[in-house]
């Protein structure tokens, strides 16, 4: 096994088999197959999403890991917060109060194809992706206190998975 830095892609003739690692193996094989944009993004962290009120209200921003390429993805006067990248890096889930109460939204990582996934008068916030990218967990107050809910990517199948009178927060969906 050979672990290489991506600068070595400029001299691929020296390598007939390479492996990219980032905690776990990203890809192995010939240089041309391993050094794809997607594999490099997974290896080097790619872009960072965050929420910021630098424009006067909160927006979902993305920036390259070196600080370049700062982009406002939402540009909406409501608050847009709590961004979460999908596992494949192609989409970002977030929460916004643009429809008069907090709902979960998802958009492509360039800000296009915005969709609202929840439609409930209670607050729905803090989305996080399942490891396979097929579902979202989030915090909802629709039972009167904060609970962890799970739903499909089209907003269907919303299920309360905590069901406890105390307030349940800060969900992280692990891969076990
Ligand atoms: Ca906003
Ligand atoms: Ca809501």
């Amino acid at each position: 096994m050979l672990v290489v830095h991506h600068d070595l892609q400029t001299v691929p003739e020296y390598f007939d088999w390479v492996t990219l690692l980032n905690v776990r193996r990203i890809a192995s094989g010939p240089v041309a197959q391993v050094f794809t944009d997607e594999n490099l993004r997974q290896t080097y962290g790619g872009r960072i999403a965050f929420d910021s009120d630098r424009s006067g209200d909160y927006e979902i921003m993305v920036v390259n890991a070196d600080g370049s390429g700062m982009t406002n993805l939402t540009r909406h006067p409501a608050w847009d917060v709590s961004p979460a990248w999908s596992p494949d890096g192609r989409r970002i889930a977030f929460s916004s109060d643009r429809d008069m109460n907090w709902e979960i939204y998802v958009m492509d990582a360039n800000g296009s194809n915005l969709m609202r996934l929840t439609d409930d008068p209670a607050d729905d916030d803090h989305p996080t992706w399942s490891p396979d990218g097929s579902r979202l967990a989030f915090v909802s107050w629709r039972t009167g206190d904060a609970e962890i809910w799970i739903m499909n990517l089209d907003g269907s199948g919303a299920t309360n998975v905590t069901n406890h009178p105390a307030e349940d927060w800060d969900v992280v969906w692990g891969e076990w």
Side-chain angles (χ1 to χ4, degrees), residues 43-55:
T43 306
Y44 292 100
R47 287 164 75 73
I48 296 164
F50 62 103
D51 49 48
S52 170
D53 66 350
R54 63 182 65 198
S55 68

Side-chain angles (χ1 to χ4, degrees), residues 109-173:
N110 65 3
S112 65
N113 291 321
L114 178 69
M115 289 190 344
R116 186 178 72 182
L117 300 186
T118 55
D119 184 9
D120 189 282
D123 287 342
D124 303 285
D125 199 355
H126 294 99
T128 186
W129 295 79
S130 64
D132 68 0
S134 70
R135 290 182 293 172
L136 287 167
F138 60 102
V139 175
S140 179
W141 288 75
R142 56 186 73 179
T143 62
D145 68 299
E147 305 281 3
I148 309 303
W149 288 64
I150 291 173
M151 65 180 165
N152 299 319
L153 272 192
D154 60 2
S156 68
T159 304
N160 178 349
V161 295
T162 44
N163 280 310
H164 190 281
E167 292 177 3
D168 301 299
W169 299 106
D170 290 341
V171 57
V172 176
W173 199 324

Side-chain angles (χ1 to χ4, degrees), residues 3-175:
V3 182
V4 301
H5 186 270
H6 71 294
D7 287 351
L8 295 180
Q9 74 184 110
T10 60
V11 286
E13 62 273 22
Y14 297 138
F15 304 96
D16 56 8
W17 191 270
V18 296
T19 294
L20 286 175
L21 296 172
N22 180 14
V23 181
R24 60 185 178 184
R25 187 174 65 88
I26 302 297
S28 288
V31 170
Q33 291 178 24
V34 168
F35 286 111
T36 63
D37 288 345
E38 173 68 11
N39 287 342
L40 289 173
R41 184 195 62 73
Q42 291 186 51
T43 306
Y44 292 100
R47 287 164 75 73
I48 296 164
F50 62 103
D51 49 48
S52 170
D53 66 350
R54 63 182 65 198
S55 68
D57 64 272
Y58 276 90
E59 307 289 3
I60 306 301
M61 311 284 293
V62 292
V63 64
N64 293 323
D66 65 1
S68 67
M70 184 82 70
T71 305
N72 179 346
L73 295 182
T74 42
R75 297 180 182 279
H76 190 285
W79 279 28
D80 303 285
V81 298
S82 303
W85 287 103
S86 64
D88 66 5
R90 298 178 189 280
R91 306 176 85 188
I92 296 173
F94 65 102
S95 47
S96 174
D97 63 351
R98 61 182 62 191
D99 294 313
M100 309 317 292
N101 77 87
W102 290 96
E103 305 286 8
I104 307 295
Y105 298 77
V106 66
M107 61 185 170
D108 290 351
N110 65 3
S112 65
N113 291 321
L114 178 69
M115 289 190 344
R116 186 178 72 182
L117 300 186
T118 55
D119 184 9
D120 189 282
D123 287 342
D124 303 285
D125 199 355
H126 294 99
T128 186
W129 295 79
S130 64
D132 68 0
S134 70
R135 290 182 293 172
L136 287 167
F138 60 102
V139 175
S140 179
W141 288 75
R142 56 186 73 179
T143 62
D145 68 299
E147 305 281 3
I148 309 303
W149 288 64
I150 291 173
M151 65 180 165
N152 299 319
L153 272 192
D154 60 2
S156 68
T159 304
N160 178 349
V161 295
T162 44
N163 280 310
H164 190 281
E167 292 177 3
D168 301 299
W169 299 106
D170 290 341
V171 57
V172 176
W173 199 324
E175 185 172 10

